[in-house]
Amino acid sequence: MTPTPAVGKDTMHQNPPPLTTTTVTVAYAGGDERRGPLTMGQANMIRCILRDDPTHINIHDVWTVPEGTGSAAVTEALRDLAVRHEGLRTTFPHPPGSAPVDQVVAAEGTFTVTVLDHTELPADPSGYAESVARAARAGRFALEREFPLRITLLTVAGQPVYVALAFSHAVADGSAMAILREEFAELLAGKELPELTSLPPVDLAAVEASPAGLRKSEASLRYWERILRTGPQEMFAEPRGRRPGTDEEARQLTLRSRRGARALAGAARRTGHPEATVLMAAWCALVAHRAGQDSCVTAVPSANRFHARVARSVTTTSQDALLHLDVRVETFDALVARTWGAVLNAYRHSQFDSVQLWEMIDRVTAERGSHFGRDVVFNDVSALPAPLLGTDTHDRDNAEHELTWGPPQTLPTRLLAFTYRTAPQLHISLWAAPSVFTPEEAEGFLTGLVLLLEAAAAGDVPMEALAEVTGVRPAERGPDWLRVDGCWVSPDAVRETLGRAVDGLPVRVQATEASGAEPHLTAYIACGETPLTPTGAHRALTALIPAAGSGVLAPHRYVLVENPPAEPDRSDAWRRLNTIDEGTGRSRQV
């Protein structure tokens, strides 16, 4: 899924009620009736819609209505958008208890607009409109029958001021909302919209299902599998961390920095690479440095809009590009050069069958004995035209370097960033999990990003100098933490989790060093009369890993013995015991 950043808290209970509330039914006609399979993006989001809290998965937006615009003009513009874009006329029929496999586009139909009329709006009118839109996210969309937009028109003495909308993520993502916002404004201004050049969802699904599209999906799955089998399973593996995939509430921290914009432009000129590449390299360098990792794995959700056939399609293309960037280079310039190819490789592999992807993720993580976490997300939407980003992105354009805290949002990530603009100021909003970032550390991370860009604008930066240049310190781990199979692992955490998995049987976890290679973990389990196999132990452990503490990876080998030794804290004592059974416990040898 692609998370949508929060802008304001739900403050409806703090505001005076509207003078009147009415519901207007709007009929539309003129489109074509069509039916076809789901796109890969739709299937991905519908999977989340059927599973997740609707307040987390539904998305929202607020459109400003120009002064002097009548209600009839607003509803007419909304009607025109519904006719223009097949995605807005799409439902997903399916029997109860099953997931949709088809989409149906209606030729005609109706939608409703709830009109809230006021004598006056509260002191913070845009914040109030935001709260109305956010409140409409509550409640799951009925995919098989409901119009995918919940529309509220806020008026003052009958005069429209804002349109507050909640969208089903099955038909729109952040980019689609921005396109609709732009077209809505142009319709109200009396402009004629250009012909559509990007594919509607039914046609996009046909392209994806073509032989070339299926080959592309298969290549993407192979690319992801390589990363899942060899990359770090959690970027922020440290004693205070939580497992990736466990939700945390993180406050929005926003950077507005003319300093950062000047530095990014200077670093791009000096290195001869695009600003987007330099910014991605700086982000990955600082994330990997802070996490104490040799590589950075970050999801890049906006990557799948780079092709003309989907650039302005009103649908959901919410599928991640997954960037795996090895940061083991001597200088920042060398990392920038490496980033360009790595980003292109990630973009090329961002179209896939989401059901097959999650089946592969489940299979690979069970075999590896891990739990892959979408720990880090970097969403650079700065290339979108300025009107598509909304008016709030232009606030305080003169800020030389400003950090402001906003409202919290619950997200299943450890670090999420949206880059809204890179000129005339660097404008980034960050959500950093409080389990691994104190407020001071989150502020220091964004400030450190600017400091790195300033240093890179002045000259090449040794990677070993990142702490000195940025002020950001790597994660602290005790001496018992080891790098195992490309991941930071705590043998003590593995032992504790495995002990719970096997119902409290005595367990010893030992790290064995191999010449010139990372250590392997061996788990000894004294099972007594309890029937147990290596496969059973492994399955029990992997079932607990998603909710376990940080640093838990399954042992490479399970050795079953009858009783613990007299000195259970000595590894050599366990090794001398008679073995009942041993093995990897995995369905595939690793």
Side-chain angles (χ1 to χ4, degrees), residues 246-290:
T246 53
D247 291 357
E248 285 192 70
E249 189 174 79
R251 289 181 65 197
Q252 179 182 5
L253 175 62
T254 297
L255 166 76
R256 292 180 174 87
S257 176
R258 283 183 170 266
R259 273 178 53 194
R262 291 193 300 270
L264 177 58
R269 283 193 303 270
R270 192 189 62 77
T271 61
H273 285 274
E275 289 188 4
T277 303
V278 175
L279 183 59
M280 181 67 79
W283 167 263
C284 289
L286 202 57
V287 168
H289 167 71
R290 165 62 182 79

Side-chain angles (χ1 to χ4, degrees), residues 46-57:
I46 287 173
R47 181 182 183 276
C48 299
I49 288 168
L50 296 176
R51 179 194 64 198
D52 296 344
D53 185 329
T55 60
H56 295 172
I57 194 64

Side-chain angles (χ1 to χ4, degrees), residues 51-192:
R51 179 194 64 198
D52 296 344
D53 185 329
T55 60
H56 295 172
I57 194 64
N58 294 335
I59 55 179
H60 71 281
D61 202 5
V62 174
W63 300 347
T64 302
V65 179
E67 188 174 352
T69 304
S71 295
V74 171
T75 55
E76 185 62 30
L78 292 168
R79 178 189 289 113
D80 289 347
L81 291 176
V83 173
R84 175 176 170 84
H85 295 290
E86 291 186 5
L88 303 185
R89 295 183 276 116
T90 297
T91 54
F92 305 92
H94 60 286
S98 66
V101 295
D102 290 325
Q103 56 181 312
V104 174
V105 182
E108 58 185 31
T110 62
F111 60 86
T112 60
V113 178
T114 301
V115 182
L116 304 183
D117 192 38
H118 308 72
T119 53
E120 62 178 3
L121 292 181
D124 179 14
S126 61
Y128 169 61
E130 169 75 21
S131 74
V132 173
R134 177 174 288 279
R137 288 168 63 159
R140 208 175 302 276
F141 275 90
L143 295 171
E144 72 281 3
R145 56 179 172 77
E146 186 176 354
F147 189 73
L149 277 65
R150 296 170 182 162
I151 307 168
T152 305
L153 179 61
L154 305 182
T155 62
V156 175
Q159 184 66 37
V161 183
Y162 294 105
V163 182
L165 306 104
F167 292 76
S168 166
H169 217 330
V171 303
D173 54 19
S175 296
M177 289 195 305
I179 291 163
L180 292 169
R181 186 193 314 133
E182 178 193 35
E183 293 186 348
F184 176 75
E186 290 181 348
L187 287 169
L188 292 185
K191 297 181 181 178
E192 185 174 344

Side-chain angles (χ1 to χ4, degrees), residues 327-346:
V327 300
R328 290 175 293 183
V329 291
E330 291 188 1
T331 68
F332 182 72
D333 283 10
L335 184 65
V336 173
R338 175 177 288 184
T339 301
W340 173 253
V343 168
L344 289 180
N345 203 24

Side-chain angles (χ1 to χ4, degrees), residues 495-567:
R495 175 188 52 76
E496 188 276 332
T497 307
L498 179 57
R500 287 191 289 115
V502 295
D503 298 325
L505 293 175
V507 171
R508 173 75 177 180
V509 174
Q510 176 189 350
T512 55
E513 299 286 345
S515 178
E518 291 181 346
H520 280 201
L521 294 182
T522 299
Y524 295 88
I525 306 173
C527 55
E529 300 298 322
T530 303
L532 187 65
T533 64
T535 299
H538 182 73
R539 287 177 179 169
L541 174 60
T542 54
L544 291 186
I545 285 179
S550 185
V552 179
L553 192 73
H556 294 81
R557 198 157 195 82
Y558 300 85
V559 178
L560 307 184
V561 298
E562 186 173 357
N563 297 307
E567 299 177 276

Side-chain angles (χ1 to χ4, degrees), residues 284-366:
C284 289
L286 202 57
V287 168
H289 167 71
R290 165 62 182 79
Q293 301 278 14
D294 290 339
S295 63
C296 176
V297 177
T298 183
V300 191
S302 58
N304 41 26
R305 285 275 181 177
F306 74 101
H307 198 286
R309 67 170 173 250
V310 293
R312 292 187 62 85
S313 181
V314 173
T315 185
T316 184
T317 62
S318 292
Q319 292 186 281
D320 287 339
L322 190 66
L323 174 63
H324 184 205
L325 183 62
D326 190 332
V327 300
R328 290 175 293 183
V329 291
E330 291 188 1
T331 68
F332 182 72
D333 283 10
L335 184 65
V336 173
R338 175 177 288 184
T339 301
W340 173 253
V343 168
L344 289 180
N345 203 24
Y347 284 9
R348 282 196 297 266
H349 296 102
S350 61
Q351 176 187 311
F352 44 78
D353 183 311
S354 61
V355 173
Q356 292 183 15
L357 176 74
W358 283 104
E359 288 174 350
M360 182 269 289
I361 289 175
D362 290 344
R363 183 182 71 254
V364 170
T365 54

